[in-house]
Amino acid sequence: MNKRPISPALETAADRLRRGGLVAFPTETVYGLGANALDSRAVAGIFEAKGRPRFDPLIVHVADPAAVRGIVTKCNRKATQLIDRFWPGPLTLVLPKSEIIPDIVTSGLPTVAVRMPDHPMALELIRAAGVPVAAPSANRFGCLSPTTPAHVREQLGDRIDLILDGGACAVGVESTILDLTETSPVLLRPGGTPIEAIVPIIGRVTMAHERSDRPRAPGQLSSHYAPRTRLMILSDEAPDPAACHRAGHLCLRSPQLDVPATRIEVLSRSGDLREAAANLFSALHRLDNLGLDIIYAEQMPEAGLGKAIMNRLRKASAAFSSTAKRPRFHDNP
Ligand code: TXA
Ligand code: MG
């Protein structure tokens, strides 16, 4: 297959993976924390390093569309059409799992989530390792996703074998997840591939209940992607000035609401939602590191990547609602 020489860093990373180690690597969406998907012990290490509950299954990454055949038992017509159109890219497909994938990867589900990332380093790593790579986002469970190597180092630096540096992630939000095991496809997570681009190819897509804490996908918790700082989404009104202490303000092209903020983060001056998605987690990490009392986020248009952005902001704010359980990491920053 791939006979081109690869860099020593990639060679080392691939070797670590083959030997059961944990390697953080760049993808076009966010950094992943990879382990050999065929090695249960190695995969167990991912759950430990992240502090992730075992009921939250992982995505298996492949470097070639044909590799999906070894991982799933059936690749139906819709799956083939989507793979042809969107891979490599930020689209994860849930399909019936083959025996070769250990139960720990899928949390005992009869299905497996699989995707081919669109990042040369990720693809070279998977090819060089010669195995499918199970990888969640490389952050502590429930916390902000990493879009730079520094983000990974902050949360997981002392818990993993190495971090491959591929710079900042171009897409910046996680892949779209589509369950193709039912008669009608179900959107489990809006992400880097806009649903508007998927529907013309496979027809109607059912939306999973985004806000349910009894999710059809065990990992679709309503509270997730959360900064340590409380986050609140502003709808049409600015917050009561008396309630603001040291506040951060996250907006799309310029502040639309009058918030007395210590720091303003603009996601895209031109209002481009792709650019905004690419900047989202970095902006949240910066705000989160300022030790503010609150982060106010303005609503963004819910079209294209705006859906993924608002999904992440809602989950981040849900982490601070009275009913949601905050991830343990928050108590121990
Ligand atoms: O862009 C991405 O998808 C990144 C990069 C690293 O590829 N990965 C990522 O993984 O976001 P993670 O683990 O943070 O999110 C994966 C989600 C989880 O919420 C999990 O519940 C869901 O995928 N998932 C995995 N396997 C599933 C399955 N068999 N059925 C339903 N949902 C599944
Ligand atoms: Mg994640």
Side-chain angles (χ1 to χ4, degrees):
M1 281 222 305
N2 181 29
K3 294 281 185 235
R4 282 180 305 137
I6 62 169
S7 73
L10 268 164
E11 196 75 79
T12 308
D15 187 57
R16 291 285 167 88
L17 280 183
R18 274 192 302 266
R19 290 168 187 267
L22 299 183
V23 172
F25 64 97
T27 81
E28 80 281 31
T29 59
V30 301
Y31 273 72
L33 177 59
N36 176 356
L38 308 181
D39 177 344
S40 299
R41 268 180 67 105
V43 173
I46 292 180
F47 287 91
E48 265 161 46
K50 282 192 59 127
R52 176 171 171 129
R54 291 279 180 102
F55 62 74
D56 193 2
L58 306 177
I59 296 174
V60 176
H61 296 69
V62 294
D64 178 352
V68 85
R69 307 219 166 261
I71 290 168
V72 310
T73 53
K74 194 165 159 233
C75 195
N76 57 33
R77 193 160 146 263
K78 285 180 178 161
T80 310
Q81 287 173 317
L82 291 171
I83 288 170
D84 286 349
R85 171 68 184 80
F86 293 110
W87 281 15
L91 177 65
T92 296
L93 302 177
V94 174
L95 292 163
K97 147 185 144 46
S98 95
E99 294 267 293
I100 193 178
I101 299 295
D103 281 340
I104 186 170
V105 172
T106 64
S107 304
L109 292 174
T111 58
V112 60
V114 56
R115 92 173 186 100
M116 177 177 173
D118 187 13
H119 194 292
M121 236 184 213
L123 295 175
E124 288 194 5
L125 174 70
I126 301 164
R127 282 189 192 120
V131 290
V133 173
S137 48
N139 51 278
R140 299 292 301 275
F141 178 69
C143 299
L144 286 176
S145 300
T147 54
T148 66
H151 296 160
V152 181
R153 219 169 292 123
E154 240 173 67
Q155 294 193 38
L156 294 173
D158 53 346
R159 295 168 164 251
I160 62 182
D161 291 302
L162 66 89
I163 303 172
L164 275 177
D165 187 344
C169 302
V171 174
V173 288
E174 295 84 346
S175 60
T176 300
I177 306 181
L178 210 54
D179 184 347
L180 293 177
T181 61
E182 316 253 329
T183 27
S184 168
V186 181
L187 178 71
L188 297 180
R189 176 175 75 184
T193 302
I195 194 67
E196 294 92 330
I198 292 173
V199 169
I201 295 175
I202 55 164
R204 209 174 100 77
V205 171
T206 308
M207 306 294 149
H209 288 294
E210 279 187 345
R211 315 204 63 176
S212 163
D213 260 322
R214 301 248 86 227
R216 55 179 300 128
Q220 313 302 118
L221 301 171
S222 61
S223 141
H224 217 85
Y225 311 108
R228 292 175 302 253
T229 317
R230 178 166 173 236
L231 185 141
M232 195 176 144
I233 299 174
L234 298 172
S235 26
D236 306 326
E237 280 178 41
D240 174 3
C244 304
H245 303 287
R246 295 186 67 239
H249 186 170
L250 184 76
C251 59
L252 181 57
R253 53 174 97 213
S254 61
Q256 301 298 299
L257 297 167
D258 189 17
V259 175
T262 307
R263 168 89 163 250
I264 298 174
E265 285 283 348
V266 172
L267 292 183
S268 166
R269 294 220 168 272
S270 63
D272 176 358
L273 290 166
R274 277 176 176 269
E275 186 184 17
N279 291 329
L280 175 69
F281 282 118
S282 279
L284 286 171
H285 277 282
R286 280 193 295 274
L287 290 172
D288 201 23
N289 286 336
L290 292 176
L292 302 167
D293 298 312
I294 190 160
I295 298 169
Y296 291 112
E298 287 192 20
Q299 287 202 307
M300 320 267 158
E302 290 201 56
L305 286 193
K307 284 203 183 81
I309 295 173
M310 284 310 298
N311 168 274
R312 306 307 186 264
L313 290 176
R314 285 200 188 95
K315 292 193 178 204
S317 71
F320 300 95
S321 74
S322 51
T323 50
K325 273 207 184 122
R326 291 173 64 184
R328 257 194 308 147
F329 187 47
H330 291 284
D331 302 326
N332 185 18

